[in-house]
Amino acid sequence: MRPRRRDFARALLRSFSIQGSWNHRAMTGPGMAFALSPLLTRIHADDPAALDAALERHASPFNAHPYLAPVAIGALARLEHEGEDPDTLLRFRSALRAPLGALGDETMWAGWRPFCASAAAIAFLLGFDAVTAAAGFLVVYNLGHFALRLWGLRCGWKAGRGVGAALRRVPFRRLARVFVLASQVLIGALAAILVARVPGGAPSPWIVGVAVGAGLSGYVVPRHISRVALASLLVACLAWFL
């Protein structure tokens, strides 16, 4: 039986707690089974034995970035709906782990989160109170992360077995690169603001230029070098400020 819209809504909400039962043996496997349960219950509504087998199958070891886990939830539910055999399901499930983990780490942990945090820090230094800056960070960051979860569930269900090709059509690595570059520039701007606030320190157009140049250097030098340069600049400015 095809899942209904409310089944997908329940699966999406449950995906937020996918790490709630994390353990060293199965990692997020139990959380995956919990999130898939509304969909599997509808798909196997006429066969309780098949439902039990599906839940046990999807509670086996699994690990991926939590924000992209809905991609796997949607794709696995689609294969269950199409009646794929258990061995194919388990192989497909295993193949999803590494790419979903790598794409999520690069896009969200290395790109989106530092970008939002840097923007919030600059907003605070420019005069926003701490509560407003923190609330702005939480709202913007979570809007992006919720949109990614929603898109992932839809993409997984629509693509099914072809979810790998669907993921390759999305420029995740390019987005990550843009967010990393923007974060580098924002961190440099943050350092410049701190320097300008030092008693007796003149506003420093040159240091803004250095900061932007260090950020843009991510295009022409290895990324870890530009990150080290910006981190060193920020630490030096903080030491001067304190």
Side-chain angles (χ1 to χ4, degrees), residues 1 3 6 13 22 26 46 50 57 62 67 72 84 94 112 116 135 147 150 161 175 182 188 194 196-197 211 214 217:
M1 188 178 297
R6 65 172 177 265
L13 289 175
W22 196 98
D46 300 328
R57 179 163 55 245
F62 186 83
Y67 297 174
E84 289 288 352
S94 179
W112 182 241
C116 292
L150 180 59
R161 186 191 291 270
L175 286 172
L194 289 172
R197 290 190 169 206
S217 70

Side-chain angles (χ1 to χ4, degrees), residues 59-75:
S60 61
F62 186 83
N63 199 31
H65 194 282
Y67 297 174
L68 283 177
V71 175
I73 293 169

Side-chain angles (χ1 to χ4, degrees), residues 110-187:
W112 182 241
R113 184 169 62 180
F115 170 76
C116 292
S118 301
I122 288 177
F124 173 68
L125 289 178
L126 290 179
F128 287 86
D129 62 83
V131 173
T132 301
F137 165 78
L138 291 173
V139 169
V140 174
Y141 175 79
N142 284 298
L143 280 176
H145 128 247
F146 182 79
L148 182 62
R149 286 183 187 266
L150 180 59
W151 170 85
L153 185 60
R154 289 178 172 176
C155 174
W157 174 260
K158 182 178 180 180
R161 186 191 291 270
V163 72
L167 288 173
R168 286 192 293 273
R169 289 194 293 269
V170 180
F172 278 109
R173 298 192 185 282
R174 187 181 303 171
L175 286 172
R177 180 76 166 168
V178 169
F179 286 135
V180 168
L181 176 63
S183 299
Q184 291 173 336
V185 174
L186 288 178
I187 291 172

Side-chain angles (χ1 to χ4, degrees), residues 2-23:
R2 185 183 179 89
R4 300 175 184 176
R5 183 172 297 181
R6 65 172 177 265
D7 301 322
F8 286 105
R10 291 173 63 197
L12 180 65
L13 289 175
R14 289 186 177 205
S15 75
F16 284 85
S17 61
I18 197 169
Q19 293 180 299
S21 54
W22 196 98
N23 61 78

